[in-house]
Amino acid sequence: MREVAVIGAGMTKFGERWDTSFRDLCTEAGIAALEDANVAGEQIDALFVGSMSAGRFVGQEHVGALVADYVGLGGDLHVPATRVEAACASGGLAFRQAVAAVSSGMSDVVIAAGVEKMTDVGDSTDVLAGAADREWESFAGATFPGLYAMIACDYMHKYGLTREQLAQVAVKNHFHGARNPFAHFQNEITQSTVMNSTLVASPLRLFDCSPVSDGAAVVVVCPLEKAREFTDTPIKVLASAQAGDTIALHDRPDFSTMGATVAVGNSAFRQAKLERKDIDFVEVHDCFTIAELCAIEDLGFVPKGTAGKFTEQGETQLGGKLPVNTSGGLKACGHPVGATGIKQIWEVVQQLRGEGGKRQVEGAEIGMTQNVGGTGATVVSHIFRRA
């Protein structure tokens, strides 16, 4: 198996992109990534596109072929393009497929893309509910805010998490998002803003929830041994892991622990031959504020039940022991579901290159991502180091 490196990354601004189509988002991010990688279309061997539900959001299926066509890889080049779907983990899984293609030797230069155009439909909540168990959850009215509210209630009951500590996750991520020019929300907020916002599903309020966003992100990978032919700042992929769990939350032995995150974290650290203390920063899947707290515990960074206090003490903010979601996370950067996993990797690339700007983690050398589908039925994680 060959070692793999990221040689280019690009993304669009996330947000309500009313004036930009699904295909235009792909093109914008794709061109940025190819230019960043100094790669021509003729050098691309394969394309993997993460997109959760383009068929319902914009009425477009056959997404792999569409993206290849509009980024200039169709037609005479005949680049093979594959759509990857794993709910909100679609982007992270598309990247994993790209890494596997290069690592195995089947391909040399591969694109991993993620895209979603969510604002063109009236009821995105119902579309997203398709990532849960339709028969036993969605049809009973359990949408994702409700499911994650159940997780939050269980967690609060077991570990004594306060409403103020939960709110601090959103405050911190908006602080980071305000320093990211690509973020959906680029404004700082206060704890009071979160706690006085509209109740969505108790105890979760509006500012505990990630927004409905449009956007795309793209990265380019190749064998590490060839990476410096394209860039002076290759980012080595140290680990690529995936784990699964029951699709329905009610079938889990513990609502407050995502077993797939525990498994994927253990696998990633084994592959990378690293310990938790070696990670300088992490991008986790904070679709709701409670999800971030569970993520950093289930990945093993802090003991179970302590993430709220850890966050309250400022340890997950820039300058803390473990900066979490320096991009602003899903909460502030936005959550165009198919693109999120690739956006996380884009952020890691920026940080490890020292190009994070006002949100730069000083001395960052190793970063990690965790991308979740549903309530944890699919989890994908990657670890990266400056090459």
Side-chain angles (χ1 to χ4, degrees), residues 70-149:
Y70 277 82
V71 299
L73 300 177
D76 293 340
L77 296 180
H78 304 297
V79 172
T82 305
R83 176 185 178 179
V84 178
E85 187 279 315
C88 304
S90 298
L93 189 53
F95 181 79
R96 179 166 160 78
Q97 301 311 304
V99 169
V102 173
S103 180
S104 69
M106 290 187 69
S107 304
D108 277 339
V109 182
V110 179
I111 293 175
V115 60
E116 215 75 60
K117 185 79 168 69
M118 301 174 68
T119 58
D120 287 4
V121 300
D123 190 4
S124 59
T125 300
D126 182 65
V127 178
L128 294 170
D133 188 323
R134 269 291 184 190
E135 292 189 18
W136 293 101
E137 292 179 324
S138 305
F139 286 164
T143 60
F144 277 105
L147 291 168
Y148 276 90

Side-chain angles (χ1 to χ4, degrees), residues 17 34 53 59 153 208 220 274 365:
R17 300 291 302 273
L34 290 172
S53 197
C153 286
D208 288 295
V220 185
L274 295 173
E365 294 187 0

Side-chain angles (χ1 to χ4, degrees), residues 218-373:
V218 176
V219 295
V220 185
V221 297
C222 79
L224 179 63
E225 62 192 29
K226 298 183 179 181
R228 291 194 182 275
E229 296 175 15
F230 303 100
T231 178
D232 293 330
T233 56
I235 304 302
K236 183 179 178 180
V237 181
L238 298 181
S240 177
Q242 178 185 355
D245 207 334
T246 65
I247 191 168
L249 182 62
H250 64 251
D251 285 330
R252 312 270 176 84
D254 182 354
F255 278 19
S256 303
T257 299
M258 283 192 184
T261 295
V262 175
V264 84
N266 290 337
S267 176
F269 280 106
R270 282 196 302 270
Q271 290 179 42
K273 297 180 175 60
L274 295 173
E275 298 180 13
R276 273 69 178 176
K277 64 180 178 60
D278 298 320
I279 302 298
D280 295 313
F281 65 99
V282 61
E283 286 280 309
V284 301
H285 198 93
D286 62 316
C287 47
F288 300 89
T289 47
I290 187 63
E292 177 171 314
L293 299 180
C294 290
I296 61 175
E297 292 176 350
D298 295 341
L299 288 172
F301 290 112
V302 295
K304 201 68 191 175
T306 66
K309 187 68 172 177
F310 191 69
T311 301
E312 184 179 45
Q313 293 171 339
E315 301 295 5
T316 60
Q317 188 163 307
L318 284 168
K321 290 180 180 177
L322 180 71
V324 178
N325 288 332
T326 54
S327 67
L330 286 63
K331 175 65 199 75
C333 189
H335 185 29
V337 287
T340 286
I342 303 293
K343 181 274 295 183
Q344 292 179 330
I345 295 163
W346 175 89
E347 176 66 12
V348 169
V349 170
Q350 303 308 303
Q351 291 288 347
L352 296 183
R353 287 176 173 177
E355 298 174 358
K358 294 180 180 179
R359 64 187 191 284
Q360 180 65 45
V361 177
E362 292 300 322
E365 294 187 0
I366 301 175
M368 184 175 191
T369 64
Q370 177 244 16
N371 189 200
V372 175

Side-chain angles (χ1 to χ4, degrees), residues 142-195:
T143 60
F144 277 105
L147 291 168
Y148 276 90
M150 293 180 198
I151 294 172
C153 286
D154 183 68
Y155 188 102
M156 286 177 156
H157 175 72
K158 287 178 178 174
Y159 303 113
L161 175 73
T162 68
R163 183 52 262 201
E164 289 79 8
Q165 290 171 337
L166 189 61
Q168 199 58 38
V169 175
V171 173
K172 180 266 301 179
N173 286 342
H174 273 263
F175 177 86
H176 292 164
R179 286 148 180 80
N180 181 0
F182 291 89
H184 189 153
F185 297 123
Q186 299 177 31
N187 58 303
E188 295 185 29
I189 60 173
T190 65
Q191 191 177 92
S192 176
T193 302
V194 183
M195 296 182 65

